[in-house]
Amino acid sequence: MPRKIRVLETIRQGQIGGGETHVLDLVHALDKSQFEPVVLSFTPGPMIDRLMAMGVRTHVIHTERPFNVATWRRVKRLLREERIDLVHAHGTRAHSNTFWAAKQLGLPVIYTVHGWSFHLDQKPLVRKAYQLAEKLLMRQAGTTICVSESNRRDGLEFSDMRHAVVIKNGINLHRFNPSLRTYNVRAELGIAADVVLVGYIARMTAQKDPFTMLRAVAALPAGLNVKFLLVGNGDLKAGAQQLARELGIEAKVIFTDFRQDIPDVLQALDIYCLPSLWEGLPIGILEAMAMGKPVIASTIEATKEIVEHGVNGLLVPVKAPELLAAAIQRLVASQELRRTLGAHAYQTIQAGFTAEAMTRQVEQLYHQQVPRSTAAPRKLRHHPVAELAIEYQQ
């Protein structure tokens, strides 16, 4: 009987964001009769704790830099010790710090792009440099997975994408289930039942644009029976808290650190809002929709693959606080519209964005890269450029 295919799922950090949630759901849904996942993160955090509680073998090799040559030999040793058959790298940092070791051991590599490292707000030369780095990384992988059609189209700027496929993110519907009884987050935070609660759950970074969210709050009419819950950490959190004070909206806004009980938080919300500037395929929006919540989001290409304006959510232009405020006010004013959009949002996820469907597609790629009958230790293959880089570091 052929042994299970041992897959290293590697991710940049142990803090839980979109890519990390994707890894958790993928590992949970993998067919354990065929695959044995091992997870490598490059920082510790709650994701590692959850994986350990699931009984998944986990490792941390600490670095917060991509292409950190100093970590490569440690990764190679880990691949040998764990008898890995296939490396699945999630994101630029994870792939850039594992491809050399995988190539040295002759292991196949799959690279999932959860959002390119280049963005429209970068200077042209910086953007070009990131594109060249992404092109290099794609060449090290047998297959590149894009999590949205817009991701794939953006890749066509610098690559023919001939070895790329699209597998859209999916949600664990056992965990994100609106019919389950949940912890009462409203009671914990002292939010009355008649208050319309709008939630923003995201890392507070430039990508997620918390400042536009707060300026929209300030643009709402006085006396509106609404509060805002901003859940998450990030390098803009202190600035966001300062802006809330400057705008005089502290009484309307509640800031909390990132929480593990996101389904409970979503259950407490009436509206989910995410004014991102760019996305791969936003898992936060998918989770909110899976909980039957109406969504207000930016009119960016990836989000338009999920949200249809006026059908299962509302879309507004990026960096447009007045228009965002108008969309919020429209939903606050109509419980019936919230109910209709939320019901259609739930149906959207059930029909096309489940973790099980996503995982079955990924498993097909695993089998293409490593047929079960050939899962076994592989011959070493040398990568002279990377060898020279390591010798230079020593």
Side-chain angles (χ1 to χ4, degrees), residues 20 42 169 190 223 320 390:
E20 293 73 30
F42 287 96
N169 288 330
I390 283 184

mmCIF file of all heavy atoms in Angstrom, residues 20 42 169 190 223 320 390:
data_model
loop_
_atom_site.group_PDB
_atom_site.id
_atom_site.type_symbol
_atom_site.label_atom_id
_atom_site.label_comp_id
_atom_site.label_asym_id
_atom_site.label_seq_id
_atom_site.Cartn_x
_atom_site.Cartn_y
_atom_site.Cartn_z
ATOM 1 N N GLU A 20 -3.254 32.821 6.268
ATOM 2 C CA GLU A 20 -3.141 31.872 7.370
ATOM 3 C C GLU A 20 -4.456 31.114 7.585
ATOM 4 O O GLU A 20 -4.459 29.905 7.853
ATOM 5 C CB GLU A 20 -2.714 32.599 8.646
ATOM 6 C CG GLU A 20 -1.310 33.172 8.593
ATOM 7 C CD GLU A 20 -1.192 34.414 7.697
ATOM 8 O OE1 GLU A 20 -2.176 35.171 7.573
ATOM 9 O OE2 GLU A 20 -0.097 34.613 7.111
ATOM 10 N N PHE A 42 7.030 31.096 9.587
ATOM 11 C CA PHE A 42 8.268 31.833 9.829
ATOM 12 C C PHE A 42 8.170 32.797 11.010
ATOM 13 O O PHE A 42 9.112 33.527 11.284
ATOM 14 C CB PHE A 42 8.729 32.522 8.543
ATOM 15 C CG PHE A 42 9.275 31.533 7.560
ATOM 16 C CD1 PHE A 42 8.477 31.021 6.548
ATOM 17 C CD2 PHE A 42 10.567 31.068 7.670
ATOM 18 C CE1 PHE A 42 8.969 30.074 5.661
ATOM 19 C CE2 PHE A 42 11.071 30.124 6.795
ATOM 20 C CZ PHE A 42 10.270 29.628 5.781
ATOM 21 N N ASN A 169 -10.478 30.904 -3.133
ATOM 22 C CA ASN A 169 -10.553 30.605 -1.707
ATOM 23 C C ASN A 169 -11.920 30.046 -1.337
ATOM 24 O O ASN A 169 -12.942 30.410 -1.930
ATOM 25 C CB ASN A 169 -10.299 31.869 -0.880
ATOM 26 C CG ASN A 169 -8.845 32.298 -0.915
ATOM 27 O OD1 ASN A 169 -7.951 31.469 -1.052
ATOM 28 N ND2 ASN A 169 -8.610 33.596 -0.787
ATOM 29 N N GLY A 190 -21.059 45.577 25.653
ATOM 30 C CA GLY A 190 -22.054 46.541 26.101
ATOM 31 C C GLY A 190 -22.796 47.229 24.971
ATOM 32 O O GLY A 190 -23.142 48.415 25.084
ATOM 33 N N GLY A 223 -26.647 61.355 15.481
ATOM 34 C CA GLY A 223 -27.855 60.739 16.011
ATOM 35 C C GLY A 223 -28.219 59.415 15.390
ATOM 36 O O GLY A 223 -29.195 58.782 15.806
ATOM 37 N N ALA A 320 -13.071 56.665 -0.855
ATOM 38 C CA ALA A 320 -14.231 57.544 -1.045
ATOM 39 C C ALA A 320 -15.082 57.511 0.218
ATOM 40 O O ALA A 320 -16.148 56.871 0.247
ATOM 41 C CB ALA A 320 -15.033 57.116 -2.272
ATOM 42 N N ILE A 390 24.631 31.095 -0.358
ATOM 43 C CA ILE A 390 24.790 30.589 1.004
ATOM 44 C C ILE A 390 26.246 30.644 1.438
ATOM 45 O O ILE A 390 26.560 31.054 2.547
ATOM 46 C CB ILE A 390 24.248 29.144 1.087
ATOM 47 C CG1 ILE A 390 22.725 29.188 1.128
ATOM 48 C CG2 ILE A 390 24.779 28.424 2.315
ATOM 49 C CD1 ILE A 390 22.060 27.861 1.296
#
